């Protein structure tokens, strides 16, 4: 998973509708990528059946869990500070148990349990069904750990609870793990090999969400485009599948069609894509179905072929341009966003200029931009010296951010005078007289409330903008309601 939840949105404590018979309290926080937030919904569902209701009050919790991210150093530092806070509360409430879930759990299991003794249980991303047993171990006075990575687990049989949901948008996980082995990334080591979920269970979950009034879903995976179901098993083993399995396999384009046809009035999004895995049939499916949003998050990481090779990104600059050209040709109004890392080992000024020129070619709607931080256990950490000075990294990042803001403002300016369809998600942060939602290109749009409600699809005439937000006036409900 390359796309990271905005830092300002990190650390949400999550709450679901309480069950009257449940007597214990669970406080759960999530950091990092959307997959972690989705996983927390699975954990809450599992523990709901074990007598736990969720709470937003840390002090009253019987069990505190933090779902962690290892993709950047800053995320790990944030989680460590939260663990300090949990343990301060634990000194007042000795009966409270603290656990770490997810990617940091797998990577730092020994430190957390044995060396630093700051948690009671450590649970990797494929071991959430073992939580009831692990909690029993802790309650009997023993430390508990399960970070075994699975070749089969997809949690397709778990109905996630929707934590702190707006009742409008939901994540639907379709793959787990990653096979790509980018040299900067810890995900293959913390989440294991790539496997896909049964398409029927995905369609059933989408249908259930529609029945509950949800209007938009995001199909989620480390690399959604590489989704491949052939009856179960790892993607890497597909070459050994039977002829019947190969003939009846479901790829991502076929899954998109299944979901779009199952719920024609539900907006479909997906994240995250990898350039090497996105095929023309995916773009064709997007173009063919109105309810598949014209928006693609397409991480490039660098504009330099030399750096892409060192990153083990299995696409070149020219192949990326060809993909962008095909997207813009087949879906002229498609929004495109990116992930970029600057300051990767050995990056020169020429490499940096290649990244800026790639951005000029694509003119992304928005992006997630970071300086390189060395992650323990990755190939880059083992084989490449982190040799770019921090001052240089920061300067290059600022140039990337400045250029992205310029392109973002150009893109939002181009919408002024047009009418867009917006799904109302919440009240605007800046005004209780305005709604906030997104158009199909994933651009935040605000407009006056009038008589509209959360969950309505509204036609909005755009009259102003910032680099990140469209501002307009509603002119009526769309025919998608």
């Amino acid at each position: 998973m390359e796309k990271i939840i905005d830092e300002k949105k990190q650390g949400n404590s999550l709450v679901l509708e309480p069950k009257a018979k449940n007597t214990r309290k669970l406080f759960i926080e999530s950091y990092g990528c959307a997959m972690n937030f989705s996983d927390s919904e699975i954990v809450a569902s599992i523990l709901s059946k074990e007598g736990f209701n969720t709470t937003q009050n840390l002090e009253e919790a019987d069990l505190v869990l933090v779902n962690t991210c290892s993709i950047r150093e800053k995320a790990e530092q944030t989680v460590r500070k939260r663990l300090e806070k949990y343990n301060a509360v634990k000194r007042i409430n000795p009966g409270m148990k603290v656990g770490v879930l997810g990617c940091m759990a797998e990577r730092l299991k020994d430190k957390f349990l044995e060396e630093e003794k700051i948690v009671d249980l450590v649970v990797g991303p494929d071991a959430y069904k073992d939580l009831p047993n692990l909690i029993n171990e802790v309650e009997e006075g023993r430390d508990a750990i399960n970070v075994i990575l699975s070749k089969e687990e997809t949690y397709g049989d778990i109905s996630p609870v929707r934590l702190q949901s707006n009742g409008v948008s939901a994540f639907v996980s379709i793959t787990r793990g990653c096979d790509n082995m980018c040299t900067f990334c810890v995900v293959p080591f913390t989440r294991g090999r790539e496997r896909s979920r049964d398409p029927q269970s995905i369609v059933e979950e989408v249908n259930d969400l529609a029945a509950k009034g949800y209007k938009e879903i995001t199909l989620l995976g480390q690399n959604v485009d590489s989704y491949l179901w052939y009856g179960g098993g790892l993607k890497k083993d597909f070459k050994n599948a039977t002829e019947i399995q190969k003939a009846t396999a479901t790829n991502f384009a076929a899954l998109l069609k299944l979901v779009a046809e199952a719920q024609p009035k539900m907006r479909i999004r997906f994240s995250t894509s990898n350039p090497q895995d996105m095929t023309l049939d995916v773009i064709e499916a997007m173009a063919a179905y109105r309810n598949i949003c014209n928006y693609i998050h397409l991480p490039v990481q660098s504009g330099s072929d030399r750096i892409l090779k060192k990153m083990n990104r299995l696409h070149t600059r020219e192949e990326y341009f060809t993909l962008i050209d095909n997207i813009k040709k087949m879906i002229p109004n498609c929004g495109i966003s990116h992930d970029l890392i600057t300051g990767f080992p050995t990056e020169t000024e020429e490499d940096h200029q290649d990244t800026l020129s790639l951005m000029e070619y694509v003119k992304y709607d928005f992006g997630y931009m970071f300086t390189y931080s060395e992650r323990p256990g990755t190939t880059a950490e083992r084989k490449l010296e982190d040799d770019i000075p921090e001052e240089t990294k920061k300067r290059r990042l600022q140039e990337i951010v400045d250029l992205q803001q310029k392109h973002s403002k150009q893109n939002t300016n181009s919408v002024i005078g047009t009418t867009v369809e917006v799904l109302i998600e919440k009240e605007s942060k800046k005004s209780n007289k305005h709604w906030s939602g997104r158009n199909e290109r994933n651009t935040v749009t605000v407009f006056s409330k009038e008589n509209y409600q959360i969950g309505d699809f509204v036609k909005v005439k755009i009259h102003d903008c910032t680099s990140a937000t469209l501002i307009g006036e509603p002119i009526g409900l769309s025919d998608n309601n």
Side-chain angles (χ1 to χ4, degrees):
M1 172 63 59
E2 302 185 41
K3 181 178 175 182
I4 307 299
I5 297 291
D6 190 309
E7 292 284 351
K8 295 177 183 176
K9 298 177 184 173
Q10 285 190 347
N12 290 340
S13 60
L14 305 169
V15 180
L16 69 150
E17 195 68 29
K19 288 185 178 180
K21 65 179 181 179
N22 288 354
T23 58
R24 294 189 285 182
K25 298 290 180 68
L26 165 68
F27 180 91
I28 183 166
E29 284 188 325
S30 300
Y31 291 83
C33 68
M35 184 65 82
N36 280 359
F37 284 74
S38 177
D39 278 2
S40 290
E41 296 181 336
I42 290 168
V43 168
S45 179
I46 291 167
L47 292 182
S48 172
K49 296 173 183 176
E50 298 297 318
F52 285 92
N53 283 332
T54 52
T55 178
Q56 285 185 302
N57 184 355
L58 174 62
E59 284 72 17
E60 71 176 15
D62 299 293
L63 175 64
V64 176
L65 298 175
V66 57
N67 203 337
T68 61
C69 175
S70 277
I71 204 164
R72 287 189 295 131
E73 185 178 4
K74 186 174 181 181
E76 288 197 359
Q77 291 172 346
T78 303
V79 168
R80 284 190 170 279
K81 288 179 182 177
R82 290 304 291 160
L83 287 171
E84 290 174 10
K85 169 69 174 176
Y86 301 158
N87 280 283
V89 174
K90 190 175 180 180
R91 286 191 285 273
I92 302 168
N93 177 15
M96 188 177 87
K97 305 301 180 186
V98 176
V100 170
L101 312 175
C103 294
M104 263 179 91
E106 203 288 328
R107 197 176 78 74
L108 296 175
K109 50 189 178 291
D110 296 327
K111 274 182 174 288
F112 283 150
L113 271 179
E114 296 169 15
E115 294 175 29
E116 300 178 15
K117 301 185 185 301
I118 55 175
V119 299
D120 302 294
L121 69 159
V122 175
V123 190
D126 288 346
Y128 298 143
K129 287 180 183 174
D130 197 30
L131 268 165
N133 297 326
L134 296 171
I135 291 168
N136 287 337
E137 289 284 304
V138 170
E139 289 174 344
E140 291 175 11
R142 296 185 290 272
D143 290 337
I145 180 171
N146 186 342
V147 293
I148 297 171
L149 293 174
S150 168
K151 294 182 179 180
E152 292 87 26
E153 186 61 77
T154 64
Y155 300 109
D157 58 331
I158 302 290
S159 179
V161 297
R162 304 299 164 177
L163 297 169
Q164 211 176 43
S165 169
N166 59 10
V168 175
S169 304
F171 292 129
V172 176
S173 176
I174 68 167
T175 71
R176 298 186 73 83
C178 183
D179 288 347
N180 285 338
M181 301 302 291
C182 300
T183 59
F184 55 81
C185 186
V186 297
V187 167
F189 307 105
T190 59
R191 285 189 171 270
R193 299 308 296 259
E194 185 176 309
R195 63 269 189 202
S196 297
R197 180 179 162 191
D198 180 352
Q200 192 55 44
S201 73
I202 295 168
V203 172
E204 287 172 0
E205 184 174 338
V206 171
N207 287 340
D208 180 62
L209 287 165
K212 291 175 178 174
Y214 284 81
K215 303 296 181 70
E216 176 183 279
I217 56 106
T218 299
L219 301 176
L220 201 61
Q222 261 74 35
N223 296 301
V224 289
D225 309 86
S226 62
Y227 174 90
L228 183 64
W229 173 263
Y230 59 100
L234 298 176
K235 183 176 180 182
K236 73 179 183 67
D237 294 333
F238 180 65
K239 62 182 180 294
N240 301 322
T242 66
E243 291 306 312
I244 291 176
Q245 285 178 316
K246 289 179 180 178
T248 57
T250 302
N251 66 8
F252 183 57
L255 178 69
L256 272 179
K257 293 174 185 177
L258 284 173
V259 173
E261 290 172 3
Q263 294 297 333
K265 286 188 174 289
M266 178 176 270
R267 269 190 182 176
I268 314 298
R269 300 186 187 276
F270 56 90
S271 183
T272 293
S273 293
N274 190 304
Q276 75 192 51
D277 297 315
M278 176 165 269
T279 50
L280 281 179
D281 58 354
V282 172
I283 305 169
E284 288 166 355
M286 293 177 67
Y289 291 88
R290 179 189 169 193
N291 58 329
I292 302 177
C293 288
N294 292 345
Y295 166 68
I296 300 172
H297 183 65
L298 196 61
V300 66
Q301 305 302 1
S302 174
S304 160
D305 277 337
R306 192 181 70 83
I307 295 298
L308 287 171
K309 191 170 184 179
K310 283 190 174 291
M311 289 177 165
N312 197 36
R313 299 290 286 179
L314 302 181
H315 65 87
T316 65
R317 175 186 175 93
E318 285 305 315
E319 287 169 341
Y320 190 86
F321 284 161
T322 299
L323 180 55
I324 292 294
D325 290 345
N326 283 324
I327 292 168
K328 291 187 174 183
K329 178 182 177 182
M330 298 166 69
I331 314 172
N333 191 39
C334 191
I336 305 172
S337 59
H338 67 80
D339 290 349
L340 274 171
I341 297 172
T342 190
F344 192 78
T346 78
E347 184 185 72
T348 65
E349 280 303 312
E350 183 179 356
D351 295 323
H352 174 57
Q353 291 302 319
D354 282 347
T355 293
L356 296 177
S357 69
L358 180 140
M359 293 176 69
E360 286 284 11
Y361 186 92
V362 180
K363 293 184 169 58
Y364 296 100
D365 287 48
F366 62 92
Y368 299 86
M369 299 152 281
F370 311 104
T371 57
Y372 172 72
S373 65
E374 192 173 75
R375 307 312 297 130
T378 60
T379 304
E381 186 261 345
R382 294 196 310 271
K383 296 186 177 182
L384 298 172
E385 180 186 353
D386 185 4
D387 60 351
I388 309 299
E390 284 303 312
E391 282 184 16
T392 303
K393 288 182 183 179
K394 289 178 181 178
R395 189 259 302 164
R396 290 175 183 170
L397 178 63
Q398 191 59 55
E399 290 176 7
I400 288 169
V401 169
D402 290 345
L403 184 57
Q404 182 53 60
Q405 288 183 335
K406 172 188 167 185
H407 292 157
S408 295
K409 188 64 187 293
Q410 288 173 353
N411 283 320
T412 53
N413 263 324
S414 71
V415 185
I416 291 176
T418 68
T419 298
V420 300
E421 182 188 72
V422 179
L423 173 59
I424 301 175
E425 297 176 8
K426 58 188 177 182
E427 191 176 86
S428 169
K429 289 181 180 179
K430 294 185 178 179
S431 167
N432 60 10
K433 296 180 180 179
H434 290 78
W435 289 125
S436 173
R438 288 171 295 158
N439 68 357
E440 66 168 355
R441 286 182 62 149
N442 210 38
T443 309
V444 173
T445 306
V446 297
F447 58 93
S448 56
K449 282 185 173 179
E450 297 189 6
N451 295 319
Y452 302 104
Q453 303 296 326
I454 289 175
D456 285 345
F457 287 97
V458 182
K459 292 185 287 186
V460 180
K461 182 73 176 289
I462 304 302
H463 61 70
D464 199 1
C465 69
T466 67
S467 62
T469 305
L470 300 174
I471 302 163
E473 289 301 324
I475 59 174
L477 291 169
S478 80
D479 60 7
N480 205 32
N481 290 283

